[in-house]
Amino acid sequence: MPARTHSRPHPATTGGVDIRLPWWALALPALAFVALLALILSPSDAHAASGDPAITRLFERAQQFLAR
């Protein structure tokens, strides 16, 4: 006895996928990036031990470049 094949009740759409992100899905990573960038560029509140002078010069150059 042959098995019956079932057809789909609704044909599949061939259009693009419509995905919508909530507002916070873009705002939270952007806010975290800005906060971390502010921490790096504002070393006045940082109380770190004396580190490698090359790293310090690199951060100073980056801060000068971004301040332009």
Side-chain angles (χ1 to χ4, degrees), residues 31-58:
L31 181 65
F33 176 76
V34 169
L36 290 175
L37 188 62
L39 286 174
I40 290 172
L41 295 180
S42 178
S44 63
D45 296 334
H47 303 287
S50 60
D52 186 17
I55 299 292
T56 305
R57 284 193 304 256
L58 177 67

Side-chain angles (χ1 to χ4, degrees), residues 3-41:
R4 291 186 179 183
T5 58
H6 297 286
S7 62
R8 291 184 178 207
H10 301 289
T13 59
T14 58
V17 177
D18 185 27
I19 297 177
R20 296 189 57 170
L21 293 175
W23 64 267
W24 51 265
L26 295 175
L28 289 180
L31 181 65
F33 176 76
V34 169
L36 290 175
L37 188 62
L39 286 174
I40 290 172
L41 295 180

